Amino acid sequence: MGRGRVELKRIENKINRQVTFSKRRNGLLKKAYELSVLCDAEVALIIFSSRGKLYEFGSAGMTKTLERYQHCNFNPHDNSVERETQSWYQEVSKLRAKFESLQRTQRHLLGEDLGPLSVKELQNLEKQLEGALAQTRQRKTQIMVEQMEELRQKERQLGDMNKQLKIKLQTEGQGLGPLPCSWNPTNASTGNTSFSVHPSQPNPMDCDNETVLQIGYQHYVAGESSVPRTMAGDIVQGWVL
């Protein structure tokens, strides 16, 4: 009758747990020793009991095996960092070379440092400059055409506004009708100021003859004076200011 399968779980009985630990510890140490001898393997085993007691086995010495373990464990990380650093250094070198090449090209386009260039390189540079000049002129022409189109559009808008304002002024002028009195600039230039009066409106210059106080010299001609004759003899020499 075969042995039944033992469930792996913590042994609650303290004495049984200690006995089991001792048996299995010795068996594990024996297996480690057998593995190192039979397979020529470097085996290191470290065991801490529940009470903190240390049990260890090293086929080639625990210190040597631990040093080898640390070297194998941390060296790949160091190698990866070194590889990454080397990769960044190569990338920086490529970018520096590209930057220097762009600087040389810029100086050549500006007409500087043309001495080391060959005839073929100068011809290529000339083609590049001609192509750039043609594109620049094309872009300038396009911008000027767009600006002229905008100006024409603004001109049309202003013309439409001018027509609308003229129509509005004509409409408002017809609604107001003729003015009753207007000033004649021709008479004003000759010193004879006169007003044209509409027939339906009273003449503002017509007024009753009243006593007039005259200051200064004034000559009246008989028959043309607006002062009554009864007062013509009473007018004396004016005051001199």
Side-chain angles (χ1 to χ4, degrees):
M1 185 174 179
R3 184 178 178 182
R5 184 176 180 181
V6 180
E7 183 180 1
L8 293 177
K9 65 178 182 178
R10 184 176 182 273
I11 301 174
E12 298 297 336
N13 193 320
K14 185 177 181 181
I15 298 174
N16 295 338
R17 185 168 65 244
Q18 186 63 32
V19 172
T20 304
F21 173 76
S22 299
K23 290 181 180 180
R24 299 225 175 200
R25 179 199 64 201
N26 294 333
L28 184 59
L29 292 173
K30 183 179 179 181
K31 291 290 184 182
Y33 171 74
E34 292 176 354
L35 181 63
S36 64
V37 174
L38 294 174
C39 300
D40 193 17
E42 185 176 351
V43 180
L45 178 62
I46 300 174
I47 301 174
F48 286 98
S49 66
S50 59
R51 296 181 180 181
K53 191 175 181 179
L54 173 63
Y55 302 91
E56 64 179 12
F57 168 79
S59 61
M62 184 61 66
T63 304
K64 181 180 178 181
T65 305
L66 289 176
E67 289 178 355
R68 185 176 179 181
Y69 168 76
Q70 291 178 354
H71 178 73
C72 293
N73 189 28
F74 294 102
N75 194 32
H77 179 68
D78 295 339
N79 290 336
S80 63
V81 172
E82 185 178 357
R83 287 195 299 269
E84 186 177 0
T85 304
Q86 187 69 18
S87 176
W88 281 112
Y89 178 76
Q90 294 177 358
E91 187 69 20
V92 170
S93 300
K94 291 179 181 179
L95 291 175
R96 185 182 290 111
K98 187 175 181 180
F99 176 71
E100 292 176 356
S101 176
L102 291 174
Q103 281 187 332
R104 286 195 301 270
T105 304
Q106 183 180 7
R107 289 195 298 269
H108 293 162
L109 292 174
L110 294 175
E112 301 175 357
D113 298 339
L114 300 179
L117 298 180
S118 62
V119 177
K120 186 175 181 180
E121 291 175 346
L122 291 174
Q123 289 177 354
N124 294 332
L125 180 62
E126 183 180 3
K127 290 180 180 179
Q128 292 179 1
L129 292 174
E130 289 177 354
L133 182 60
Q135 292 180 359
T136 303
R137 289 176 176 174
Q138 182 179 1
R139 178 57 181 168
K140 184 185 71 173
T141 305
Q142 182 180 359
I143 293 175
M144 293 177 65
V145 170
E146 292 177 354
Q147 291 179 353
M148 290 177 64
E149 185 63 26
E150 292 179 357
L151 292 175
R152 290 194 186 98
Q153 185 176 1
K154 290 181 179 180
E155 182 181 3
R156 288 193 295 268
Q157 292 177 356
L158 292 174
D160 295 340
M161 292 176 62
N162 190 13
K163 291 179 181 179
Q164 293 177 2
L165 291 174
K166 186 181 294 185
I167 294 172
K168 185 177 180 181
L169 289 174
Q170 291 177 356
T171 305
E172 293 180 355
Q174 293 176 359
L176 291 175
L179 295 175
C181 180
S182 61
W183 178 65
N184 190 355
T186 304
N187 296 331
S189 61
T190 58
N192 185 12
T193 304
S194 63
F195 293 90
S196 60
V197 182
H198 196 270
S200 62
Q201 298 292 334
N203 191 349
M205 301 301 295
D206 294 340
C207 58
D208 296 335
N209 295 328
E210 296 180 356
T211 304
V212 178
L213 177 61
Q214 180 65 35
I215 299 176
Y217 292 99
Q218 181 69 28
H219 298 281
Y220 293 92
V221 180
E224 296 182 1
S225 176
S226 61
V227 182
R229 294 182 179 180
T230 56
M231 297 180 62
D234 297 335
I235 294 176
V236 298
Q237 186 177 359
W239 299 344
V240 179
L241 299 180

mmCIF file of all heavy atoms in Angstrom, residues 53-91:
data_model
loop_
_atom_site.group_PDB
_atom_site.id
_atom_site.type_symbol
_atom_site.label_atom_id
_atom_site.label_comp_id
_atom_site.label_asym_id
_atom_site.label_seq_id
_atom_site.Cartn_x
_atom_site.Cartn_y
_atom_site.Cartn_z
ATOM 1 N N LYS A 53 18.295 30.512 13.965
ATOM 2 C CA LYS A 53 19.562 29.806 13.920
ATOM 3 C C LYS A 53 19.933 29.545 12.466
ATOM 4 O O LYS A 53 19.087 29.198 11.651
ATOM 5 C CB LYS A 53 19.463 28.488 14.687
ATOM 6 C CG LYS A 53 20.817 27.821 14.902
ATOM 7 C CD LYS A 53 20.672 26.580 15.777
ATOM 8 C CE LYS A 53 22.037 25.933 16.021
ATOM 9 N NZ LYS A 53 21.942 24.730 16.884
ATOM 10 N N LEU A 54 21.239 29.728 12.136
ATOM 11 C CA LEU A 54 21.730 29.633 10.759
ATOM 12 C C LEU A 54 22.317 28.244 10.513
ATOM 13 O O LEU A 54 23.089 27.723 11.311
ATOM 14 C CB LEU A 54 22.803 30.690 10.515
ATOM 15 C CG LEU A 54 23.553 30.618 9.164
ATOM 16 C CD1 LEU A 54 22.597 30.835 8.005
ATOM 17 C CD2 LEU A 54 24.691 31.638 9.148
ATOM 18 N N TYR A 55 21.926 27.697 9.310
ATOM 19 C CA TYR A 55 22.517 26.459 8.808
ATOM 20 C C TYR A 55 22.890 26.725 7.354
ATOM 21 O O TYR A 55 22.086 27.229 6.568
ATOM 22 C CB TYR A 55 21.529 25.289 8.899
ATOM 23 C CG TYR A 55 21.026 25.014 10.304
ATOM 24 C CD1 TYR A 55 19.865 25.624 10.776
ATOM 25 C CD2 TYR A 55 21.699 24.145 11.147
ATOM 26 C CE1 TYR A 55 19.400 25.379 12.063
ATOM 27 C CE2 TYR A 55 21.239 23.872 12.447
ATOM 28 C CZ TYR A 55 20.083 24.512 12.879
ATOM 29 O OH TYR A 55 19.619 24.265 14.159
ATOM 30 N N GLU A 56 24.102 26.374 6.989
ATOM 31 C CA GLU A 56 24.584 26.678 5.649
ATOM 32 C C GLU A 56 25.460 25.558 5.123
ATOM 33 O O GLU A 56 26.019 24.752 5.899
ATOM 34 C CB GLU A 56 25.379 27.988 5.632
ATOM 35 C CG GLU A 56 26.655 27.943 6.465
ATOM 36 C CD GLU A 56 27.440 29.236 6.418
ATOM 37 O OE1 GLU A 56 26.900 30.258 5.927
ATOM 38 O OE2 GLU A 56 28.597 29.240 6.866
ATOM 39 N N PHE A 57 25.555 25.523 3.789
ATOM 40 C CA PHE A 57 26.439 24.581 3.108
ATOM 41 C C PHE A 57 26.929 25.237 1.828
ATOM 42 O O PHE A 57 26.143 25.794 1.056
ATOM 43 C CB PHE A 57 25.719 23.267 2.783
ATOM 44 C CG PHE A 57 26.477 22.379 1.852
ATOM 45 C CD1 PHE A 57 27.530 21.597 2.320
ATOM 46 C CD2 PHE A 57 26.154 22.334 0.503
ATOM 47 C CE1 PHE A 57 28.251 20.796 1.453
ATOM 48 C CE2 PHE A 57 26.876 21.527 -0.362
ATOM 49 C CZ PHE A 57 27.922 20.752 0.102
ATOM 50 N N GLY A 58 28.265 25.157 1.629
ATOM 51 C CA GLY A 58 28.861 25.675 0.413
ATOM 52 C C GLY A 58 29.886 24.716 -0.122
ATOM 53 O O GLY A 58 30.866 24.422 0.558
ATOM 54 N N SER A 59 29.678 24.257 -1.330
ATOM 55 C CA SER A 59 30.610 23.283 -1.890
ATOM 56 C C SER A 59 31.965 23.900 -2.214
ATOM 57 O O SER A 59 32.999 23.252 -2.104
ATOM 58 C CB SER A 59 30.007 22.654 -3.142
ATOM 59 O OG SER A 59 29.763 23.652 -4.120
ATOM 60 N N ALA A 60 31.974 25.164 -2.614
ATOM 61 C CA ALA A 60 33.230 25.855 -2.931
ATOM 62 C C ALA A 60 33.515 26.973 -1.943
ATOM 63 O O ALA A 60 34.374 27.811 -2.188
ATOM 64 C CB ALA A 60 33.182 26.412 -4.341
ATOM 65 N N GLY A 61 32.832 26.992 -0.862
ATOM 66 C CA GLY A 61 32.996 28.072 0.100
ATOM 67 C C GLY A 61 31.865 29.094 -0.059
ATOM 68 O O GLY A 61 31.567 29.545 -1.170
ATOM 69 N N MET A 62 31.239 29.404 1.085
ATOM 70 C CA MET A 62 30.071 30.294 1.034
ATOM 71 C C MET A 62 30.447 31.688 0.540
ATOM 72 O O MET A 62 29.736 32.288 -0.274
ATOM 73 C CB MET A 62 29.423 30.370 2.413
ATOM 74 C CG MET A 62 28.151 31.184 2.461
ATOM 75 S SD MET A 62 26.856 30.513 1.386
ATOM 76 C CE MET A 62 26.514 28.965 2.207
ATOM 77 N N THR A 63 31.596 32.216 0.991
ATOM 78 C CA THR A 63 31.997 33.579 0.591
ATOM 79 C C THR A 63 32.251 33.663 -0.904
ATOM 80 O O THR A 63 31.785 34.587 -1.591
ATOM 81 C CB THR A 63 33.245 34.006 1.364
ATOM 82 O OG1 THR A 63 32.999 33.900 2.769
ATOM 83 C CG2 THR A 63 33.625 35.430 1.024
ATOM 84 N N LYS A 64 32.967 32.670 -1.449
ATOM 85 C CA LYS A 64 33.267 32.674 -2.870
ATOM 86 C C LYS A 64 31.994 32.549 -3.706
ATOM 87 O O LYS A 64 31.821 33.224 -4.738
ATOM 88 C CB LYS A 64 34.220 31.518 -3.176
ATOM 89 C CG LYS A 64 34.626 31.440 -4.626
ATOM 90 C CD LYS A 64 35.573 30.271 -4.848
ATOM 91 C CE LYS A 64 35.938 30.151 -6.320
ATOM 92 N NZ LYS A 64 36.849 29.004 -6.569
ATOM 93 N N THR A 65 31.093 31.692 -3.253
ATOM 94 C CA THR A 65 29.845 31.508 -4.003
ATOM 95 C C THR A 65 28.996 32.773 -3.972
ATOM 96 O O THR A 65 28.382 33.163 -4.983
ATOM 97 C CB THR A 65 29.053 30.333 -3.427
ATOM 98 O OG1 THR A 65 29.887 29.162 -3.411
ATOM 99 C CG2 THR A 65 27.807 30.054 -4.238
ATOM 100 N N LEU A 66 28.963 33.447 -2.812
ATOM 101 C CA LEU A 66 28.195 34.698 -2.715
ATOM 102 C C LEU A 66 28.799 35.786 -3.590
ATOM 103 O O LEU A 66 28.066 36.564 -4.227
ATOM 104 C CB LEU A 66 28.129 35.155 -1.261
ATOM 105 C CG LEU A 66 27.250 34.313 -0.323
ATOM 106 C CD1 LEU A 66 27.350 34.816 1.111
ATOM 107 C CD2 LEU A 66 25.802 34.301 -0.794
ATOM 108 N N GLU A 67 30.127 35.877 -3.644
ATOM 109 C CA GLU A 67 30.749 36.872 -4.517
ATOM 110 C C GLU A 67 30.420 36.600 -5.979
ATOM 111 O O GLU A 67 30.149 37.516 -6.751
ATOM 112 C CB GLU A 67 32.262 36.863 -4.293
ATOM 113 C CG GLU A 67 32.685 37.438 -2.942
ATOM 114 C CD GLU A 67 34.183 37.357 -2.740
ATOM 115 O OE1 GLU A 67 34.869 36.772 -3.621
ATOM 116 O OE2 GLU A 67 34.673 37.867 -1.721
ATOM 117 N N ARG A 68 30.465 35.331 -6.330
ATOM 118 C CA ARG A 68 30.120 34.967 -7.702
ATOM 119 C C ARG A 68 28.657 35.275 -7.996
ATOM 120 O O ARG A 68 28.303 35.747 -9.089
ATOM 121 C CB ARG A 68 30.403 33.491 -7.919
ATOM 122 C CG ARG A 68 30.191 33.024 -9.345
ATOM 123 C CD ARG A 68 30.577 31.566 -9.497
ATOM 124 N NE ARG A 68 30.352 31.116 -10.863
ATOM 125 C CZ ARG A 68 30.580 29.871 -11.292
ATOM 126 N NH1 ARG A 68 31.048 28.949 -10.437
ATOM 127 N NH2 ARG A 68 30.346 29.542 -12.539
ATOM 128 N N TYR A 69 27.810 35.037 -7.031
ATOM 129 C CA TYR A 69 26.375 35.338 -7.199
ATOM 130 C C TYR A 69 26.160 36.844 -7.390
ATOM 131 O O TYR A 69 25.399 37.264 -8.275
ATOM 132 C CB TYR A 69 25.608 34.821 -5.987
ATOM 133 C CG TYR A 69 24.186 35.314 -5.920
ATOM 134 C CD1 TYR A 69 23.195 34.773 -6.741
ATOM 135 C CD2 TYR A 69 23.814 36.339 -5.041
ATOM 136 C CE1 TYR A 69 21.896 35.230 -6.692
ATOM 137 C CE2 TYR A 69 22.514 36.802 -4.989
ATOM 138 C CZ TYR A 69 21.562 36.245 -5.816
ATOM 139 O OH TYR A 69 20.274 36.697 -5.771
ATOM 140 N N GLN A 70 26.819 37.663 -6.561
ATOM 141 C CA GLN A 70 26.662 39.110 -6.694
ATOM 142 C C GLN A 70 27.189 39.602 -8.043
ATOM 143 O O GLN A 70 26.583 40.479 -8.672
ATOM 144 C CB GLN A 70 27.401 39.811 -5.554
ATOM 145 C CG GLN A 70 26.765 39.605 -4.181
ATOM 146 C CD GLN A 70 27.546 40.273 -3.081
ATOM 147 O OE1 GLN A 70 28.637 40.816 -3.326
ATOM 148 N NE2 GLN A 70 27.027 40.220 -1.863
ATOM 149 N N HIS A 71 28.302 39.021 -8.475
ATOM 150 C CA HIS A 71 28.862 39.438 -9.767
ATOM 151 C C HIS A 71 27.907 39.098 -10.914
ATOM 152 O O HIS A 71 27.698 39.897 -11.822
ATOM 153 C CB HIS A 71 30.216 38.747 -9.975
ATOM 154 C CG HIS A 71 30.847 39.087 -11.292
ATOM 155 N ND1 HIS A 71 31.408 40.319 -11.561
ATOM 156 C CD2 HIS A 71 30.987 38.340 -12.428
ATOM 157 C CE1 HIS A 71 31.857 40.332 -12.791
ATOM 158 N NE2 HIS A 71 31.628 39.128 -13.346
ATOM 159 N N CYS A 72 27.329 37.906 -10.850
ATOM 160 C CA CYS A 72 26.394 37.500 -11.921
ATOM 161 C C CYS A 72 25.066 38.237 -11.828
ATOM 162 O O CYS A 72 24.396 38.435 -12.843
ATOM 163 C CB CYS A 72 26.160 35.987 -11.825
ATOM 164 S SG CYS A 72 27.614 34.994 -12.196
ATOM 165 N N ASN A 73 24.692 38.617 -10.624
ATOM 166 C CA ASN A 73 23.387 39.256 -10.444
ATOM 167 C C ASN A 73 23.413 40.732 -10.837
ATOM 168 O O ASN A 73 22.473 41.232 -11.447
ATOM 169 C CB ASN A 73 22.931 39.104 -8.995
ATOM 170 C CG ASN A 73 21.497 39.563 -8.799
ATOM 171 O OD1 ASN A 73 20.712 39.506 -9.722
ATOM 172 N ND2 ASN A 73 21.178 39.995 -7.599
ATOM 173 N N PHE A 74 24.503 41.450 -10.485
ATOM 174 C CA PHE A 74 24.554 42.894 -10.724
ATOM 175 C C PHE A 74 25.316 43.261 -11.981
ATOM 176 O O PHE A 74 25.181 44.363 -12.472
ATOM 177 C CB PHE A 74 25.205 43.606 -9.525
ATOM 178 C CG PHE A 74 24.379 43.512 -8.273
ATOM 179 C CD1 PHE A 74 24.717 42.595 -7.280
ATOM 180 C CD2 PHE A 74 23.271 44.303 -8.098
ATOM 181 C CE1 PHE A 74 23.959 42.508 -6.130
ATOM 182 C CE2 PHE A 74 22.505 44.210 -6.944
ATOM 183 C CZ PHE A 74 22.848 43.309 -5.957
ATOM 184 N N ASN A 75 26.114 42.392 -12.526
ATOM 185 C CA ASN A 75 26.888 42.724 -13.718
ATOM 186 C C ASN A 75 26.021 42.952 -14.948
ATOM 187 O O ASN A 75 26.294 43.857 -15.734
ATOM 188 C CB ASN A 75 27.911 41.612 -13.985
ATOM 189 C CG ASN A 75 28.955 42.044 -14.988
ATOM 190 O OD1 ASN A 75 29.297 43.208 -15.033
ATOM 191 N ND2 ASN A 75 29.444 41.107 -15.792
ATOM 192 N N PRO A 76 24.932 42.188 -15.163
ATOM 193 C CA PRO A 76 24.077 42.493 -16.310
ATOM 194 C C PRO A 76 23.486 43.894 -16.258
ATOM 195 O O PRO A 76 23.380 44.575 -17.277
ATOM 196 C CB PRO A 76 22.989 41.421 -16.231
ATOM 197 C CG PRO A 76 23.638 40.291 -15.521
ATOM 198 C CD PRO A 76 24.549 40.929 -14.523
ATOM 199 N N HIS A 77 23.146 44.335 -15.052
ATOM 200 C CA HIS A 77 22.627 45.693 -14.911
ATOM 201 C C HIS A 77 23.688 46.715 -15.276
ATOM 202 O O HIS A 77 23.424 47.699 -15.978
ATOM 203 C CB HIS A 77 22.145 45.908 -13.486
ATOM 204 C CG HIS A 77 21.622 47.289 -13.231
ATOM 205 N ND1 HIS A 77 20.454 47.756 -13.796
ATOM 206 C CD2 HIS A 77 22.133 48.312 -12.498
ATOM 207 C CE1 HIS A 77 20.254 49.003 -13.409
ATOM 208 N NE2 HIS A 77 21.262 49.358 -12.619
ATOM 209 N N ASP A 78 24.922 46.464 -14.796
ATOM 210 C CA ASP A 78 26.009 47.383 -15.134
ATOM 211 C C ASP A 78 26.278 47.379 -16.628
ATOM 212 O O ASP A 78 26.541 48.419 -17.238
ATOM 213 C CB ASP A 78 27.272 46.991 -14.361
ATOM 214 C CG ASP A 78 27.095 47.152 -12.850
ATOM 215 O OD1 ASP A 78 26.191 47.910 -12.466
ATOM 216 O OD2 ASP A 78 27.836 46.505 -12.088
ATOM 217 N N ASN A 79 26.199 46.192 -17.220
ATOM 218 C CA ASN A 79 26.419 46.112 -18.664
ATOM 219 C C ASN A 79 25.332 46.857 -19.437
ATOM 220 O O ASN A 79 25.604 47.502 -20.451
ATOM 221 C CB ASN A 79 26.458 44.639 -19.096
ATOM 222 C CG ASN A 79 27.723 43.940 -18.598
ATOM 223 O OD1 ASN A 79 28.735 44.591 -18.347
ATOM 224 N ND2 ASN A 79 27.663 42.626 -18.453
ATOM 225 N N SER A 80 24.100 46.753 -18.959
ATOM 226 C CA SER A 80 23.018 47.467 -19.638
ATOM 227 C C SER A 80 23.199 48.971 -19.535
ATOM 228 O O SER A 80 22.979 49.707 -20.511
ATOM 229 C CB SER A 80 21.668 47.057 -19.040
ATOM 230 O OG SER A 80 21.592 47.441 -17.673
ATOM 231 N N VAL A 81 23.641 49.451 -18.361
ATOM 232 C CA VAL A 81 23.891 50.882 -18.208
ATOM 233 C C VAL A 81 25.026 51.316 -19.114
ATOM 234 O O VAL A 81 24.976 52.374 -19.764
ATOM 235 C CB VAL A 81 24.204 51.208 -16.731
ATOM 236 C CG1 VAL A 81 24.659 52.659 -16.595
ATOM 237 C CG2 VAL A 81 22.988 50.958 -15.865
ATOM 238 N N GLU A 82 26.062 50.477 -19.176
ATOM 239 C CA GLU A 82 27.190 50.813 -20.039
ATOM 240 C C GLU A 82 26.782 50.824 -21.503
ATOM 241 O O GLU A 82 27.183 51.725 -22.269
ATOM 242 C CB GLU A 82 28.310 49.799 -19.809
ATOM 243 C CG GLU A 82 29.589 50.126 -20.570
ATOM 244 C CD GLU A 82 30.691 49.126 -20.271
ATOM 245 O OE1 GLU A 82 30.450 48.236 -19.434
ATOM 246 O OE2 GLU A 82 31.761 49.255 -20.883
ATOM 247 N N ARG A 83 25.976 49.843 -21.897
ATOM 248 C CA ARG A 83 25.507 49.822 -23.278
ATOM 249 C C ARG A 83 24.637 51.029 -23.588
ATOM 250 O O ARG A 83 24.725 51.624 -24.669
ATOM 251 C CB ARG A 83 24.727 48.526 -23.541
ATOM 252 C CG ARG A 83 25.605 47.290 -23.630
ATOM 253 C CD ARG A 83 24.814 46.142 -24.241
ATOM 254 N NE ARG A 83 23.653 45.805 -23.429
ATOM 255 C CZ ARG A 83 23.664 44.901 -22.452
ATOM 256 N NH1 ARG A 83 24.795 44.257 -22.142
ATOM 257 N NH2 ARG A 83 22.570 44.621 -21.770
ATOM 258 N N GLU A 84 23.772 51.403 -22.640
ATOM 259 C CA GLU A 84 22.930 52.582 -22.858
ATOM 260 C C GLU A 84 23.762 53.853 -22.957
ATOM 261 O O GLU A 84 23.506 54.714 -23.808
ATOM 262 C CB GLU A 84 21.917 52.701 -21.710
ATOM 263 C CG GLU A 84 20.901 53.817 -21.909
ATOM 264 C CD GLU A 84 19.879 53.845 -20.790
ATOM 265 O OE1 GLU A 84 19.959 53.003 -19.876
ATOM 266 O OE2 GLU A 84 18.997 54.724 -20.840
ATOM 267 N N THR A 85 24.784 53.958 -22.107
ATOM 268 C CA THR A 85 25.669 55.124 -22.170
ATOM 269 C C THR A 85 26.398 55.189 -23.501
ATOM 270 O O THR A 85 26.532 56.260 -24.112
ATOM 271 C CB THR A 85 26.681 55.071 -21.018
ATOM 272 O OG1 THR A 85 25.986 54.986 -19.778
ATOM 273 C CG2 THR A 85 27.550 56.310 -21.011
ATOM 274 N N GLN A 86 26.868 54.025 -23.968
ATOM 275 C CA GLN A 86 27.549 53.967 -25.250
ATOM 276 C C GLN A 86 26.614 54.354 -26.392
ATOM 277 O O GLN A 86 27.006 55.061 -27.339
ATOM 278 C CB GLN A 86 28.104 52.555 -25.474
ATOM 279 C CG GLN A 86 28.966 52.432 -26.710
ATOM 280 C CD GLN A 86 30.277 53.172 -26.582
ATOM 281 O OE1 GLN A 86 30.709 53.501 -25.465
ATOM 282 N NE2 GLN A 86 30.915 53.456 -27.703
ATOM 283 N N SER A 87 25.356 53.916 -26.282
ATOM 284 C CA SER A 87 24.379 54.260 -27.317
ATOM 285 C C SER A 87 24.127 55.765 -27.347
ATOM 286 O O SER A 87 24.071 56.381 -28.424
ATOM 287 C CB SER A 87 23.077 53.509 -27.064
ATOM 288 O OG SER A 87 22.081 53.898 -27.993
ATOM 289 N N TRP A 88 23.986 56.386 -26.179
ATOM 290 C CA TRP A 88 23.776 57.839 -26.121
ATOM 291 C C TRP A 88 25.003 58.586 -26.648
ATOM 292 O O TRP A 88 24.859 59.620 -27.325
ATOM 293 C CB TRP A 88 23.481 58.269 -24.686
ATOM 294 C CG TRP A 88 22.082 58.015 -24.256
ATOM 295 C CD1 TRP A 88 21.641 57.124 -23.330
ATOM 296 C CD2 TRP A 88 20.909 58.677 -24.744
ATOM 297 N NE1 TRP A 88 20.284 57.171 -23.202
ATOM 298 C CE2 TRP A 88 19.800 58.127 -24.059
ATOM 299 C CE3 TRP A 88 20.687 59.667 -25.688
ATOM 300 C CZ2 TRP A 88 18.505 58.534 -24.290
ATOM 301 C CZ3 TRP A 88 19.390 60.080 -25.917
ATOM 302 C CH2 TRP A 88 18.313 59.516 -25.226
ATOM 303 N N TYR A 89 26.183 58.068 -26.359
ATOM 304 C CA TYR A 89 27.402 58.716 -26.847
ATOM 305 C C TYR A 89 27.449 58.675 -28.371
ATOM 306 O O TYR A 89 27.794 59.675 -29.030
ATOM 307 C CB TYR A 89 28.621 58.021 -26.247
ATOM 308 C CG TYR A 89 29.938 58.584 -26.726
ATOM 309 C CD1 TYR A 89 30.416 59.793 -26.231
ATOM 310 C CD2 TYR A 89 30.697 57.913 -27.688
ATOM 311 C CE1 TYR A 89 31.619 60.322 -26.669
ATOM 312 C CE2 TYR A 89 31.895 58.436 -28.142
ATOM 313 C CZ TYR A 89 32.359 59.637 -27.627
ATOM 314 O OH TYR A 89 33.541 60.154 -28.075
ATOM 315 N N GLN A 90 27.081 57.544 -28.955
ATOM 316 C CA GLN A 90 27.049 57.441 -30.407
ATOM 317 C C GLN A 90 26.003 58.381 -31.005
ATOM 318 O O GLN A 90 26.224 59.011 -32.045
ATOM 319 C CB GLN A 90 26.772 56.001 -30.826
ATOM 320 C CG GLN A 90 27.888 55.022 -30.474
ATOM 321 C CD GLN A 90 27.546 53.596 -30.827
ATOM 322 O OE1 GLN A 90 26.447 53.321 -31.311
ATOM 323 N NE2 GLN A 90 28.479 52.679 -30.591
ATOM 324 N N GLU A 91 24.847 58.477 -30.340
ATOM 325 C CA GLU A 91 23.795 59.378 -30.832
ATOM 326 C C GLU A 91 24.253 60.828 -30.782
ATOM 327 O O GLU A 91 24.017 61.607 -31.726
ATOM 328 C CB GLU A 91 22.534 59.198 -29.987
ATOM 329 C CG GLU A 91 21.332 59.950 -30.504
ATOM 330 C CD GLU A 91 20.797 59.385 -31.803
ATOM 331 O OE1 GLU A 91 21.108 58.204 -32.101
ATOM 332 O OE2 GLU A 91 20.066 60.103 -32.505
#
